[in-house]
Amino acid sequence: MTAIGLRPATSADSEYCFQLHKAAMGTYITAIWGWDEQIQRDFHANAFTPDRWQIITAEGTDAGMLHVEHRPTEIYLARIELHPDHQGRGIGGRLIRSFLHQARQQDRDLTLDVLVVNQRAQALYQRLGLHEVTRHGENNIKIRMSTKPPQTGLIHRP
C-alpha cells in the first residue's frame, strides 16, 4: 500500500501547485472556459494560500495538494488535486475516507464542490457515499456534494 503523507505548503510550493493544477484540472477548465495561461496564473496567485494548503505526498514524493476548511457544521473539502501520475492509485479515496471518518466523529457533514465535467471525481465521491445536493455557479457548472443526503419532496410555500 502506498505511504501517503501531508506536509504544510510553503511559498516555495507556488509554482508546483500551479503546474499541478494545470496537469490535474486543465482538461476540465479547458472544457468549460478554455485555458488562458495568464488568467489561470492570476487566479492561482489570488487563491494560493500556503498557510491553508497542504502538499500530499506518496512514498515521499509530492503527489498533490489539499485545502480543507473546518466549519462549524461541516468539513469542507475546498480543494483536492492529485497529479495524473498519482491518480487511480487509491490516494484520493484514502484521504477522503479519513475526512469522512473525522466528520462522523465530530457529527459534521463532509461537503465539497466538483465541476460538472469531472465525471471521474463525481463517481469517486458517490462511491464514498457523498450525494449531489445542488448545482451552482455560472450555468450550474459546479455540483455541491455532501454526506448529508438531499432533502426531496419538501416544497416550502409561504
Side-chain angles (χ1 to χ4, degrees):
M1 184 174 280
T2 303
I4 300 170
L6 295 173
R7 69 168 177 81
T10 68
S11 57
D13 291 311
S14 180
E15 185 61 21
Y16 167 76
C17 288
F18 176 77
Q19 293 300 330
L20 168 69
H21 181 66
K22 188 174 184 177
M25 298 298 295
T27 302
Y28 306 115
I29 291 168
T30 299
I32 295 172
W33 298 284
W35 185 271
D36 181 299
E37 188 80 7
Q38 191 56 54
I39 288 173
Q40 292 302 315
R41 283 201 173 272
D42 292 345
F43 176 79
H44 174 73
N46 289 329
F48 182 64
T49 314
D51 61 327
R52 292 185 180 179
W53 290 20
Q54 294 177 293
I55 303 300
I56 302 165
T57 62
E59 301 295 336
T61 301
D62 292 349
M65 66 80 52
L66 180 68
H67 175 197
V68 180
E69 297 176 6
H70 294 269
R71 298 175 176 175
T73 62
E74 68 184 4
I75 296 174
Y76 179 68
L77 186 53
R79 197 175 221 180
I80 182 169
E81 294 179 5
L82 287 168
H83 191 279
D85 293 346
H86 295 278
Q87 293 176 5
R89 295 172 44 196
I91 297 168
R94 283 173 54 199
L95 287 168
I96 294 167
R97 278 187 203 90
S98 72
F99 290 114
L100 287 165
H101 177 74
Q102 183 181 9
R104 278 191 299 273
Q105 295 292 95
Q106 298 173 359
D107 197 28
R108 293 196 252 177
D109 298 311
L110 179 67
T111 305
L112 57 82
D113 289 305
V114 60
L115 292 174
V116 72
V117 294
N118 191 346
Q119 295 173 351
R120 185 176 179 188
Q122 290 172 48
L124 170 65
Y125 303 146
Q126 288 170 349
R127 281 194 309 272
L128 294 172
L130 280 81
H131 312 275
E132 180 175 333
V133 176
T134 189
R135 293 184 181 218
H136 63 101
E138 61 183 77
N139 299 317
N140 289 324
I141 58 167
K142 293 181 184 178
I143 300 172
R144 171 74 40 100
M145 298 184 80
S146 178
T147 52
K148 182 178 184 176
Q151 295 183 358
T152 58
L154 298 178
I155 300 174
H156 176 73
R157 295 197 174 121

